[in-house]
Amino acid sequence: MNQQNIIVIGNGMVGYKFCERLSDKDTQKKFKIITFCEEPRPAYDRVHLSAYFEGKTAEELSMASINWYKERDIDIYLQDKVISIDRDKKTVTSEKGRTLSYDKIVMATGSSVFVPPVPGIDKEGVFVYRTIEDLEEIIAYAKNCKTCAVIGGGLLGLEAAKAAQELGLQTDVIEFAPRLMPRQVDDAGGEMLKQLIEAQGMRVNLNKNTKKIIGETSVTAMEFVDGSVIQTDMIIISAGIRPRDDLARESGLTVGERGGILVNSSLKTSDPDIYAIGECVLYGDIIYGLVAPGFNMADAVAEQLVGNKSASFTGADMSTKLKLMGTDVASFGDIEPKDKLCKDIALNNPHTGVYKKLVISEDGKRLLGGVLVGDANEYGNLLQICQNNMKLPDDPMSLILPKNDDAESGIGIGDLPDTAHICSCENVTKGDILDAIENHACNSVSEIKSFTKAGTGCGGCIPMLTDLFKYKMAQDGIEVSNALCEHFELSREEMYQVVRATGIKTFAELIAKHGKGAGCEICKPAAASIFATVFSEPILDHASLQDTNDAFLANIQQDGTYSVIPGIPGGEITPDMLMVIAEVGKKFDLYTKITGGQRIDLLGARLDQLPQIWKILIDAGFESGHAYGKSLRTVKSCVGSTWCRYGVQDSTSLAIELELRYRGLRSPHKIKGAVSGCTRECAEAQCKDFGVIATDKGWNLYICGNGGIKPRHADLFASDLDKETLIKYIDRFLMYYIKTADRLQRTSTWMTKLPGGLAHVKDVVINDSLGINSELEAQMQHVVNTYECEWTNVLNDPEKLKRFKHFVNSDDLDETVQFTRERLQIRPLQHSEKP
């Protein structure tokens, strides 16, 4: 049978998605797919491109390997692009001289970075932020720079700014508009975002129109129309995109006045045998610069080719949810209506960095749009309420207010219609997911993802997908398995209870009696942590179960060396002890840095040097800081009433006492604490797993806060406590968390998922509603009484010391560890710098 040639021009995310969709739908093998890719690698995930700076490789970002194309008999030509289309002969010619005939063309040429036409823009040190090759050039050039300016304060610009900051550069964001992300947020949301970004050390420059780039051959500064100047060593341009329509123009296809290949609802160009999809397309006067609409276009064209003539593209929702520098930003619907009668409901809390606005119809019954900055947990639900024109609850403010333990908005996942889109990237509705569960035996979230492809695009829909799965299971009376992994039917909580009840102390016995198989990287570390907690044993007694950090009691770094962080309880340290740290850093030539938790980090130690370093530190009175473990890290403090004129209690002494009490406490996730000597909150106690703030009557206890990727403000747990009661409550709280939390679950997530939430934890800890407080206190006291420094334990055990050498059968050192000097200290050579 003669196959029709489908030539796909462009192999970005949308081009790849079309190849996937058509190869899946073409069950009769009518089509031969041929795709051209300009880059040296197949399509990769541009949405998460900045993850390349965080250590993700090009392979990990890849959407499909070369083998994927071979298995589907798709021809892919890398580092080659189509340079001409002969519409009369129905052939395309590539840059490398290939001439191929076609039956249909799908243009997925994407977009390019808009480079503003200002004098000096072509100087050395000016980069665009678009491809992996761009990123590699930025990384190489940044090694000799201290400052960077990013032109563009939109989504891509802020991603680029984050990348520049992660390269160690002082970063300026330059935005022409009067607010950041002008398409996604309103003025108040933009101001909140600006404050959050500036709090991370960046400088935001708004209303800036670049006049010229200064420098002889390479960039040294930027001058603006208002006369101001910013000194900078390099510039990254990310000021928007322009559709790549050059090939279409040259081929005689109709393009828009301001660019973009003009298509109809069938995504056909002015030539009926040529389709266009993705960011190169102009439809309804809109260039859709998001991946989800591009995927929808790819699906519509694939459907038409296999015979579904009714398939079409009639526009797409431009709602977005993303995380920028650890900050949630989301918008949906019409955020600044010009013609509609409406009312705004807003929540603006600069203390927590949260701004939320809902645009409500004048009669208060319909949600027209909204903006969320700092906390976008409600985004999925709000988007569906808006898109499905659902009636609002009597008090729409309840949709964005923090949820109390029994507060409900009245609209949940079960109230959404079956037509509600759960996954926009893959166009998967609630009805599709319910069908997968009911009619296709999808009995887990992973099976639903595999069957429907939901959650495999940007991943933003996974929380809603999980909620819908659990809702459906509950509706059907099916208990959702919380099994730790395939080797245990037990949850982490149940495994903890089994170990405590039976006294089992080895993984071999545990899996023989309560599991199956040999175990894995999920259950082994979880079991080791439980053994260490229940029996208060050094973690290296279970070394064979551990991941890298716990296995060597140090954090492994990207170059294969390790960091050493001794404990400094409360941040208090004598000059003599400071000198010992300085001597260690100098003797072993370690990179030395103050951490965010009032400690000193010594980086660049080889594995064989760790015991030598520990010995010097321990002899000087230091202990392990447990920076490598899922355990207590620090209890941060201010100087309190001892020194500060505002202090009302001795916060330093209490922080030291708490850190010494809970040091080495193994838990499902890392734990951080803080004590502030007054309500000025210099120790940042309200963003910790447990935080204490002094009052003139005693201490206020806050619990279940955290910083990190998804910051959460801690909740006030109890007020004006005396020290004895305070410690008793913290003992009970921590042990109850350790007893009941899931693996790798932070206290904040644990509490929000507990039935009853904060009220339940209060009832257990304060009122002893479960009758287990004496047990919790005894378990904590056992941990306190049997504490042993894990570094000291290794130094006293010749067998454990044998672990600390790079090669099992040789004393040779790791030759791949190489350093250079920067700001008078060592830093690891990057891969591109090594000979």
Side-chain angles (χ1 to χ4, degrees):
M1 181 179 65
N2 292 327
Q3 290 183 306
Q4 293 185 43
N5 275 1
I6 309 296
I7 293 184
V8 185
I9 302 176
N11 191 247
M13 295 179 72
V14 174
Y16 155 78
K17 186 56 65 174
F18 172 78
C19 293
E20 178 195 68
R21 292 286 168 82
L22 183 57
S23 64
D24 286 345
K25 296 174 188 293
D26 181 22
T27 56
Q28 298 180 20
K29 304 303 177 187
K30 290 181 178 180
F31 304 108
K32 172 64 179 179
I33 304 173
I34 304 160
T35 182
F36 285 85
C37 177
E38 294 178 44
E39 295 189 50
R41 56 182 61 82
Y44 52 87
D45 185 357
R46 286 192 210 277
V47 174
H48 299 105
L49 190 59
S50 59
Y52 192 73
F53 290 93
E54 300 165 5
K56 271 206 170 185
T57 64
E59 289 72 25
E60 289 172 318
L61 288 170
S62 176
M63 300 189 75
S65 67
I66 288 293
N67 285 337
W68 181 90
Y69 293 87
K70 290 179 180 177
E71 289 165 1
R72 287 159 179 76
D73 194 29
I74 298 172
D75 292 344
I76 181 169
Y77 297 112
L78 298 178
Q79 290 183 287
D80 197 7
K81 67 177 182 179
V82 173
I83 57 173
S84 66
I85 301 172
D86 188 326
R87 291 165 52 198
D88 294 327
K89 295 180 180 178
K90 298 194 74 172
T91 62
V92 302
T93 301
S94 78
E95 196 169 48
K96 291 186 176 180
R98 294 183 176 94
T99 298
L100 303 174
S101 63
Y102 70 84
D103 292 283
K104 303 288 183 184
I105 287 177
V106 177
M107 300 191 75
T109 49
S111 61
S112 58
V113 176
F114 168 65
V115 179
V118 299
I121 202 74
D122 56 347
K123 292 186 186 296
E124 182 182 354
V126 179
F127 301 89
V128 296
Y129 187 88
R130 186 66 176 167
T131 69
I132 287 179
E133 282 66 42
D134 294 335
L135 269 55
E136 289 176 341
E137 290 179 6
I138 289 169
I139 291 169
Y141 195 85
K143 289 169 184 173
N144 298 312
C145 299
K146 294 182 179 178
T147 57
C148 177
V150 176
I151 300 178
L155 166 59
L156 293 176
L158 295 180
E159 286 284 353
K162 176 190 174 187
Q165 189 180 53
E166 287 177 348
L167 291 172
L169 306 177
Q170 174 59 54
T171 304
D172 279 275
V173 176
I174 315 297
E175 171 55 45
F176 178 78
R179 69 181 184 232
L180 294 172
M181 296 189 68
R183 293 187 178 184
Q184 285 83 16
V185 301
D186 60 359
D187 286 341
E191 178 60 27
M192 179 67 76
L193 183 59
K194 176 177 179 287
Q195 293 174 17
L196 291 169
I197 289 173
E198 288 181 332
Q200 298 184 43
M202 292 191 194
R203 294 187 291 245
V204 177
N205 307 270
L206 302 175
N207 295 298
K208 291 294 183 184
N209 187 1
T210 306
K211 181 179 180 181
K212 65 179 178 180
I213 309 299
I214 301 172
E216 298 218 357
T217 56
S218 60
V219 173
T220 59
M222 297 176 67
E223 183 180 340
F224 302 100
V225 172
D226 63 9
S228 60
V229 175
I230 288 178
Q231 304 296 322
T232 186
D233 298 328
M234 66 182 293
I235 294 172
I236 300 175
I237 301 172
S238 190
I241 59 172
R242 293 294 182 268
R244 294 186 59 189
D245 55 16
D246 295 357
L247 180 61
R249 288 178 188 272
E250 293 165 4
S251 303
L253 300 178
T254 305
V255 299
E257 288 184 15
R258 290 180 295 174
I261 306 170
L262 194 65
V263 297
N264 59 20
S265 60
S266 297
L267 295 161
K268 290 180 179 179
T269 66
S270 52
D271 183 327
D273 288 327
I274 300 178
Y275 296 86
I277 58 177
E279 293 177 342
C280 63
V281 162
L282 176 67
Y283 175 80
D285 282 335
I286 297 175
I287 302 290
Y288 288 92
L290 298 174
V291 69
F295 284 3
N296 291 342
M297 294 179 193
D299 190 67
V301 174
E303 282 286 331
Q304 290 176 53
L305 290 175
V306 296
N308 182 3
K309 301 301 181 184
S310 64
S312 64
F313 177 82
T314 56
D317 177 63
M318 295 295 281
S319 301
T320 56
K321 178 189 176 186
L322 46 110
K323 188 175 287 289
L324 290 168
M325 306 176 204
T327 298
D328 282 342
V329 180
S331 67
F332 58 91
D334 197 345
I335 63 172
E336 292 181 310
K338 293 181 176 61
D339 303 323
K340 299 175 184 175
L341 296 175
C342 60
K343 300 174 182 177
D344 290 353
I345 294 176
L347 184 158
N348 194 336
N349 189 339
H351 297 291
T352 59
V354 172
Y355 170 75
K356 302 179 182 182
K357 181 181 87 168
L358 299 182
V359 182
I360 308 291
S361 62
E362 191 174 32
D363 61 8
K365 294 181 179 180
R366 298 289 180 264
L367 179 59
L368 306 180
V371 176
L372 307 170
V373 177
D375 176 12
N377 287 336
E378 302 96 343
Y379 168 77
N381 207 36
L382 292 171
L383 175 62
Q384 295 306 322
I385 293 171
C386 178
Q387 289 183 339
N388 292 283
N389 207 28
M390 297 172 68
K391 184 178 179 181
L392 295 177
D394 292 337
D395 181 12
M397 179 65 89
S398 66
L399 295 169
I400 56 173
L401 284 174
K403 299 294 184 290
N404 296 320
D405 302 324
D406 34 48
E408 294 291 340
S409 68
I411 301 177
I413 194 79
D415 300 308
L416 301 179
D418 284 355
T419 54
H421 278 83
I422 301 300
C423 177
S424 297
C425 291
E426 297 292 335
N427 198 24
V428 181
T429 66
K430 176 183 173 183
D432 295 331
I433 292 169
L434 294 179
D435 176 66
I437 296 170
E438 293 169 351
N439 301 319
H440 299 280
C442 292
N443 295 316
S444 68
V445 171
S446 61
E447 289 177 359
I448 294 171
K449 288 173 65 178
S450 177
F451 182 78
T452 66
K453 299 295 178 67
T456 59
C458 71
C461 65
I462 289 176
M464 283 196 79
L465 176 61
T466 303
D467 288 345
L468 179 56
F469 171 70
K470 290 182 176 180
Y471 167 81
K472 176 59 177 171
M473 293 297 101
Q475 289 290 101
D476 293 346
I478 300 172
E479 185 175 347
V480 178
S481 171
N482 292 314
L484 193 61
C485 66
E486 63 188 89
H487 302 105
F488 286 92
E489 294 298 325
L490 306 171
S491 65
R492 184 205 166 270
E493 178 183 359
E494 290 165 339
M495 181 182 283
Y496 179 92
Q497 299 283 27
V498 166
V499 170
R500 182 165 289 283
T502 62
I504 291 174
K505 300 185 73 169
T506 68
F507 185 77
E509 184 180 0
L510 181 64
I511 200 166
K513 292 184 176 179
H514 299 280
K516 60 185 178 182
C520 64
E521 72 278 1
I522 294 174
C523 58
K524 285 182 176 180
S529 175
I530 290 170
F531 293 146
T533 300
V534 170
F535 305 113
S536 194
E537 295 175 335
I539 200 68
L540 275 197
D541 287 358
H542 309 284
S544 62
L545 306 177
Q546 288 306 307
D547 56 22
T548 305
N549 288 343
D550 271 326
F552 298 109
L553 307 184
N555 285 330
I556 190 169
Q557 304 303 308
Q558 64 174 351
D559 66 332
T561 61
Y562 292 82
S563 71
V564 176
I565 304 182
I568 305 177
E572 183 178 88
I573 188 168
T574 66
D576 285 341
M577 295 177 83
L578 269 177
M579 285 193 287
V580 170
I581 291 180
E583 289 169 3
V584 168
K586 193 169 184 179
K587 177 177 179 179
F588 294 92
D589 195 16
L590 304 176
Y591 174 79
T592 309
K593 187 181 185 301
I594 305 295
T595 74
Q598 296 182 325
R599 300 195 293 194
I600 298 174
D601 198 350
L602 301 163
L603 297 104
R606 299 192 312 266
L607 184 61
D608 61 288
Q609 292 175 327
L610 292 176
Q612 304 171 55
I613 295 170
W614 298 341
K615 177 71 165 60
I616 297 170
L617 293 172
I618 288 166
D619 287 346
F622 288 102
E623 295 180 333
S624 166
H626 296 95
Y628 47 81
K630 297 293 185 282
S631 55
L632 178 77
R633 295 292 177 87
T634 62
V635 180
K636 191 174 180 179
S637 78
C638 60
V639 297
S641 59
T642 308
W643 293 94
C644 180
R645 57 200 174 104
Y646 298 106
V648 294
Q649 301 286 354
D650 184 359
S651 56
T652 303
S653 294
L654 180 59
I656 292 170
E657 184 174 348
L658 292 175
E659 187 163 336
L660 292 175
R661 181 171 183 81
Y662 302 125
R663 58 188 170 175
L665 178 67
R666 290 279 161 177
S667 53
H669 207 290
K670 64 185 177 186
I671 302 171
K672 295 183 179 181
V675 183
S676 287
C678 72
T679 55
R680 293 169 71 88
E681 253 286 69
C682 291
E684 302 166 328
Q686 292 179 78
C687 65
K688 299 292 190 286
D689 297 279
F690 65 90
V692 182
I693 300 178
T695 71
D696 55 2
K697 297 178 183 178
W699 305 97
N700 285 352
L701 174 60
Y702 292 79
I703 65 168
C704 299
N706 62 259
I709 294 175
K710 191 172 183 180
R712 183 186 188 277
H713 206 264
D715 292 299
L716 179 62
F717 189 74
S719 304
D720 299 327
L721 303 174
D722 60 77
K723 189 174 79 169
E724 181 182 358
T725 305
L726 171 74
I727 292 175
K728 186 183 296 182
Y729 283 178
I730 298 175
D731 282 358
R732 295 171 181 174
F733 157 66
L734 289 176
M735 288 309 301
Y736 186 52
Y737 160 65
I738 290 168
K739 177 186 177 76
T740 60
D742 287 338
R743 161 186 173 273
L744 301 181
Q745 187 176 54
R746 295 212 65 159
T747 56
S748 57
T749 308
W750 164 74
M751 187 190 73
T752 57
K753 290 186 177 295
L754 275 176
L758 178 64
H760 170 73
V761 180
K762 282 185 177 181
D763 213 23
V764 171
V765 170
I766 298 174
N767 303 323
D768 199 13
S769 60
L770 299 180
I772 60 173
N773 280 354
S774 58
E775 175 189 345
L776 299 177
E777 290 171 19
Q779 290 166 6
M780 181 62 80
Q781 195 59 48
H782 173 67
V783 172
V784 172
N785 293 343
T786 56
Y787 168 77
E788 180 182 6
C789 171
E790 291 178 338
W791 289 351
T792 303
N793 177 265
V794 170
L795 295 176
N796 293 334
D797 190 329
E799 286 301 312
K800 289 177 181 174
L801 277 171
K802 292 178 181 178
R803 299 178 55 79
F804 293 88
K805 53 192 300 188
H806 187 74
F807 299 104
V808 175
N809 59 349
S810 169
D811 291 328
D812 290 349
L813 303 180
D814 182 2
E815 294 179 356
T816 65
V817 173
Q818 298 174 323
F819 301 106
T820 186
R821 296 246 162 217
E822 189 171 275
R823 296 185 296 277
L824 304 180
Q825 296 207 76
I826 64 166
R827 72 160 172 82
L829 280 179
Q830 302 299 309
H831 181 73
S832 59
E833 296 176 302
K834 292 182 179 181

